[in-house]
Structure formats: structure tokens, C-alpha cells
Amino acid sequence: MSVLLVTVLCMGMAIQVNASSISDTKKKAEELESKKKAAESEKDSLAAQLDSIVAEMEDTKAKIDQKEAEIEKKEEELIQAKVDENDQYESMKKRIQYMYENGNSQFIEILVQSKSIGDFLNNAEYITTISEYDRSMLVQFQEIVKAVEEQEKALQEEYDELETMQNDLIAKQDSVNTMLESKNAEISQLESEIGATADTLAKLEAAAAAAARKQVEATQTYNGGSAGASVVSGNGTFTHPCPGYSYISSEFGWRPQPIPGASSNHKGMDFAAATGTPIYAAAGGTVVSAGYSGNAGNLIIINHGGGLQTYYMHCNNIYVRAGQSVSKGQNIGAVGSTGNSSGPHLHFQVMSGGTPVNPRNYL
């Protein structure tokens, strides 16, 4: 009887232990299932947040593109103002030369003593020999200078706005990366908690792998010398700006858009040439701009007078400065791929009366 009682007691204890294990396993399974559902809900919420951030990034990018177009237009207006300023100054010098050649020595003495154009204009007020016409032209010159300064100030403000938009975009990208890192940490923690159940672990690993692929795809999607000798060639009005390189990679006028951001209405001719190839002034004139200019990259603009200017874009090197006089065939720079460019080449553009014209008419 004692042995029988002990046996029954042991069996009862074994049943209780087995029932407790089943209960514990079911409870663990329910907890794992609850955690799985919570993880899936969090993943869906994160995906929705990522979609919202992506939409904001696309909207910001559209605003940046619009601002770049406005800045490009303002740059063209600024260049034209500088051309007008240079033309006015050249005209004034001719009038001064005429007065000097006709014996008006008092005027040239004042000019020599002046340290700047502004100083000269102030001194000129005391020269009684200046004609009313010259006085009127001097006033007009002052107004042109003021207009140029105001355009330069407006251009700088627009660049500042663009920089702010770029910083906002970088901040949003950082936010996306932070959220992705946080999700990776949550998935790793969930995988460690469901490790005791193989079936649940396999399902969660598949979900984690899918989330990881999406994160990788999102990350991949949202991670932008000296001058040589002069060379004059050809029989046209202009000498060839890049002699020896006659292959035209893009003609003047309509073309398919070569790269994003490039214009389909091509305003010049593209001469394909290796980086460092010399660039020559098409004709003599005055350099009105020589420096970096947005999509045009390193840009040289020469005013030839009579409403005619030539542009040399995407330079790798610039050998001249604004205000410098250059001669026909003078080496002014070297071919490059700066700015918005698909490869090394010279974009040669001719402007007549402020309008782009086909360079072939002058070569």
C-alpha cells in the first residue's frame, strides 16, 4: 500500500510538471506571437514614417530645382549688367581720349589723380569743360553700377536660401538614417527574444530580412598651370576657340537632355576635348567675368563690343581675370568638366544683343 501511494503521488507530480511545461510553452508561444504582431505593427508604422519623410525630401528637392532655375536666370541678368557697365566705361574712355587729344589737359590731370571710378566721378563735378551730354552719361554710368550691385546682393541672398534648403535636406536624410538604425536594433532585440521557438524565429527572420532589404534599398536611393602662346586659326570672324578638336558633341539648338539638369535648348556648341586642352579667345575684347558660375562651372565671358560676347564654360583652369583686355587667339583657360557636365568639353556660346546665336555663323 505504501509503495502504491508513492507511485500514484509520483505520477501526479509528473503530470503536474508536464501540464506546467505545456502551459508555460503555450504562454511563451502567445508572448512570442504578441511580440511578433507588435514588431509587424511597428514595422508598418516605420514604413509609413519613411514614406512621409521621402515625400518631404522630394518636395524639398523640387524647391531646390526651382531655386536653381531662378538663380541661373539672375546670373544671366547679372552678366548682362556687367556687359552694359563695361560698354558704358569704354564709351566714356573714348570721350575722355577725344577731349585730351583736343587739348583739354585739365581733365586728364584730374583723371590721373583719381584713385577709383567713384573718385573720378566726384572730381568730374568740378570740371566745367565737360559737356552736358557727358554729364548725363556719367550719371547713367552711376545708375548702371548701382543696378549691378543690387543684382549681386539679390543673387547672394538667393544662394543663401538654396544653402538653407540643402541643409534641411541633409537633416531629413540624417533623420531617415537614425530611424533605420533604430529599426535594426528593434529587430535584433526581437530575434534574440524569439530564439527559443524555431518556427516563430524563422518567420521573424524572414520579416527582418525583408525589412533589411527595404532599408538597404532606401539607403541606396537616398545616400549629389599657366597660359600658353596665342593661336589664331580659321578664316571666320572668330578664331577657333579649341583648334584641333573639331568633333562637336552637341550642336546649337534643340537636343535631347544629355544629363539631368541640362537644357534641351542648347545655347552654344560643345567641343569634345581632353581635360587641360587650351582654350583661346575667339576675338579681342574685355573679360567681364572669370570664375565659378553654378551649372556653367568655371566660366569666362569676353565682351567684344557692339553687343557681342562669347562664353567659355566648364573650364578646368582660368588664366584671365575680370577687367583684363585679351587679344584674338590668346590662351585664356583650359578644358574641363566643372559645373553640370557629362564629361570634359568646351561649351562655346556667342551672345548678340543679349540673345544666344549659332557660333557657326562666326567661325
Side-chain angles (χ1 to χ4, degrees):
M1 182 63 73
S2 296
V3 172
L4 180 60
L5 289 174
V6 170
T7 301
V8 171
L9 180 60
C10 289
M11 290 179 63
M13 293 175 61
I15 291 173
Q16 290 178 355
V17 170
N18 187 52
S20 177
S21 297
I22 293 174
S23 176
D24 291 341
T25 301
K26 288 182 177 180
K27 184 178 180 180
K28 183 65 176 179
E30 291 173 355
E31 290 175 354
L32 292 175
E33 187 65 23
S34 176
K35 290 181 179 181
K36 176 185 175 182
K37 291 180 179 180
E40 290 176 342
S41 177
E42 291 172 1
K43 183 184 69 175
D44 293 339
S45 176
L46 179 58
Q49 293 179 45
L50 288 173
D51 290 340
S52 176
I53 291 174
V54 168
E56 291 179 9
M57 293 174 68
E58 292 175 348
D59 181 64
T60 302
K61 182 60 171 60
K63 292 179 180 178
I64 289 176
D65 291 341
Q66 180 182 356
K67 183 58 63 180
E68 287 178 341
E70 293 174 0
I71 290 176
E72 183 177 357
K73 181 179 179 181
K74 184 61 64 178
E75 287 174 345
E76 293 176 355
E77 294 176 1
L78 179 58
I79 289 169
Q80 188 59 48
K82 288 183 177 180
V83 169
D84 293 340
E85 177 185 353
N86 181 259
D87 285 339
Q88 182 61 47
Y89 183 56
E90 293 298 327
S91 297
M92 189 175 64
K93 287 196 298 184
K94 290 178 181 180
R95 292 194 300 276
I96 293 171
Q97 181 180 1
Y98 173 81
M99 296 180 69
Y100 175 73
E101 291 175 350
N102 284 270
N104 199 329
S105 59
Q106 181 185 5
F107 186 89
I108 196 62
E109 289 173 358
I110 293 296
L111 176 60
V112 170
Q113 294 173 359
S114 300
K115 297 180 180 180
S116 66
I117 293 177
D119 190 13
F120 168 75
L121 294 176
N122 290 331
N123 292 334
E125 294 295 330
Y126 301 97
I127 300 176
T128 59
T129 56
I130 289 184
S131 67
E132 289 300 324
Y133 173 78
D134 281 334
R135 290 183 182 275
S136 176
M137 294 304 293
L138 288 172
V139 171
Q140 182 179 347
F141 177 75
Q142 288 180 304
E143 292 175 350
I144 292 175
V145 171
K146 182 179 179 181
V148 171
E149 292 174 347
E150 290 176 350
Q151 290 182 3
E152 286 178 336
K153 180 180 179 181
L155 181 60
Q156 184 60 51
E157 291 175 353
E158 292 185 30
Y159 267 122
D160 292 342
E161 291 179 10
L162 178 58
E163 184 177 1
T164 299
M165 290 184 178
Q166 288 175 328
N167 291 337
D168 291 342
L169 181 57
I170 292 173
K172 287 183 173 61
Q173 288 177 321
D174 291 342
S175 176
V176 171
N177 290 331
T178 300
M179 295 178 71
L180 289 176
E181 291 173 0
S182 176
K183 185 57 183 177
N184 281 331
E186 292 176 10
I187 291 175
S188 178
Q189 181 180 359
L190 182 59
E191 287 176 341
S192 65
E193 291 176 354
I194 64 176
T197 304
D199 182 60
T200 304
L201 177 62
K203 292 179 180 179
L204 291 177
E205 285 179 340
R213 286 195 298 271
K214 291 181 179 180
Q215 293 165 0
V216 170
E217 292 171 356
T219 303
Q220 292 174 342
T221 303
Y222 298 101
N223 274 25
S226 62
S230 297
V231 174
V232 177
S233 60
N235 300 318
T237 304
F238 289 162
T239 185
H240 198 296
C242 198
Y245 291 86
S246 57
Y247 174 66
I248 310 300
S249 57
S250 187
E251 288 280 3
F252 175 84
W254 185 90
R255 65 174 180 180
Q257 189 180 51
I259 57 175
S263 174
S264 59
N265 181 20
H266 198 217
K267 299 178 181 179
M269 295 173 63
D270 288 348
F271 295 96
T275 297
T277 300
I279 299 172
Y280 302 96
T286 302
V287 179
V288 295
S289 182
Y292 193 81
S293 182
N295 290 339
N298 289 329
L299 167 67
I300 301 171
I301 300 176
I302 301 177
N303 182 29
H304 305 289
L308 199 62
Q309 300 90 40
T310 51
Y311 291 31
Y312 309 80
M313 299 183 184
H314 310 301
C315 301
N316 190 62
N317 297 100
I318 294 177
Y319 303 141
V320 293
R321 63 184 184 279
Q324 178 180 341
S325 295
V326 296
S327 59
K328 185 175 184 179
Q330 180 176 333
N331 185 194
I332 58 175
V335 171
S337 187
T338 57
N340 194 13
S341 170
S342 59
H345 71 283
L346 167 64
H347 173 97
F348 178 62
Q349 184 171 321
V350 179
M351 301 289 287
S352 179
T355 302
V357 295
N358 193 340
R360 285 190 178 276
N361 298 335
Y362 296 85
L363 296 176

Short mmCIF file of all heavy atoms in Angstrom, two decimals, residues 1 21 64 101 191 235 266 358:
data_model
loop_
_atom_site.label_atom_id
_atom_site.label_comp_id
_atom_site.label_asym_id
_atom_site.label_seq_id
_atom_site.Cartn_x
_atom_site.Cartn_y
_atom_site.Cartn_z
N MET A 1 0.83 -1.21 0.00
CA MET A 1 0.00 0.00 0.00
C MET A 1 0.86 1.26 0.00
O MET A 1 0.61 2.23 -0.72
CB MET A 1 -0.92 0.00 1.23
CG MET A 1 -1.86 1.20 1.32
SD MET A 1 -3.03 1.26 -0.06
CE MET A 1 -4.11 -0.10 0.41
N SER A 21 4.64 22.58 -18.01
CA SER A 21 5.50 22.85 -19.16
C SER A 21 4.68 23.23 -20.38
O SER A 21 5.03 24.15 -21.13
CB SER A 21 6.35 21.61 -19.47
OG SER A 21 7.21 21.31 -18.39
N ILE A 64 14.44 73.11 -54.47
CA ILE A 64 15.84 73.40 -54.79
C ILE A 64 16.01 73.57 -56.29
O ILE A 64 16.69 74.49 -56.76
CB ILE A 64 16.75 72.30 -54.25
CG1 ILE A 64 16.82 72.38 -52.72
CG2 ILE A 64 18.16 72.40 -54.83
CD1 ILE A 64 17.61 71.28 -52.08
N GLU A 101 42.92 114.66 -76.71
CA GLU A 101 43.54 114.91 -78.00
C GLU A 101 43.23 116.30 -78.52
O GLU A 101 43.95 116.83 -79.38
CB GLU A 101 43.10 113.85 -79.00
CG GLU A 101 43.66 112.46 -78.69
CD GLU A 101 43.11 111.40 -79.62
OE1 GLU A 101 42.15 111.71 -80.38
OE2 GLU A 101 43.63 110.27 -79.62
N GLU A 191 14.69 39.25 -32.41
CA GLU A 191 15.25 37.96 -32.81
C GLU A 191 15.83 37.21 -31.62
O GLU A 191 15.69 35.97 -31.52
CB GLU A 191 16.33 38.16 -33.88
CG GLU A 191 15.76 38.55 -35.24
CD GLU A 191 16.85 38.85 -36.24
OE1 GLU A 191 18.00 39.10 -35.81
OE2 GLU A 191 16.55 38.83 -37.44
N ASN A 235 39.22 81.04 -90.96
CA ASN A 235 39.03 82.24 -91.78
C ASN A 235 37.78 83.02 -91.39
O ASN A 235 37.38 83.94 -92.10
CB ASN A 235 38.94 81.84 -93.26
CG ASN A 235 40.21 81.15 -93.74
OD1 ASN A 235 41.31 81.56 -93.40
ND2 ASN A 235 40.04 80.08 -94.54
N HIS A 266 19.92 73.97 -76.43
CA HIS A 266 21.35 74.20 -76.26
C HIS A 266 21.72 75.56 -76.83
O HIS A 266 21.46 75.86 -78.00
CB HIS A 266 22.13 73.09 -76.98
CG HIS A 266 23.55 72.99 -76.53
ND1 HIS A 266 24.58 72.70 -77.39
CD2 HIS A 266 24.10 73.14 -75.30
CE1 HIS A 266 25.71 72.67 -76.72
NE2 HIS A 266 25.44 72.92 -75.44
N ASN A 358 23.90 81.09 -83.22
CA ASN A 358 24.69 79.93 -83.63
C ASN A 358 26.15 80.33 -83.82
O ASN A 358 26.47 81.17 -84.67
CB ASN A 358 24.13 79.35 -84.93
CG ASN A 358 24.69 77.99 -85.23
OD1 ASN A 358 25.74 77.59 -84.71
ND2 ASN A 358 23.99 77.22 -86.05
#
